Amino acid sequence: MSYYVYILRCTDNTLYTGWTTDLDARLESHNNGTGAKYTRGRGPLELVYTETLATKPAAMQREYAIKQLSRSEKLALCKL
């Protein structure tokens, strides 16, 4: 099983970082308003970054590491 860390850009130009095992289903849930509370009402959302990891702990650690980055560092990671 693969685990994905992703960054979404919201319509208000904010960034949201999360992890999942099914990227397509998670994107759909975010865009339907049933994903994270933060992304509700901020759609449509644009997937701007993904990273594939082998284990759940690795994905969770990477998500945490990305969330600790500054906005400019996240934008550089996404090459925006």
Side-chain angles (χ1 to χ4, degrees), residues 12-23:
D12 62 1
N13 212 28
T14 58
L15 300 172
Y16 173 82
T17 304
W19 72 270
T20 187
T21 57
D22 186 342
L23 196 54

Side-chain angles (χ1 to χ4, degrees), residues 20-61:
T20 187
T21 57
D22 186 342
L23 196 54
D24 292 330
R26 188 66 175 147
L27 276 168
E28 185 177 329
S29 69
H30 279 300
N31 278 314
N32 288 337
T34 58
K37 188 175 183 180
Y38 181 83
T39 59
R40 292 180 196 153
R42 296 178 193 258
L45 305 164
E46 178 187 0
L47 180 66
V48 294
Y49 179 78
T50 60
E51 192 173 321
T52 305
L53 295 116
T55 66
K56 180 179 177 179
M60 294 174 75
Q61 289 172 350

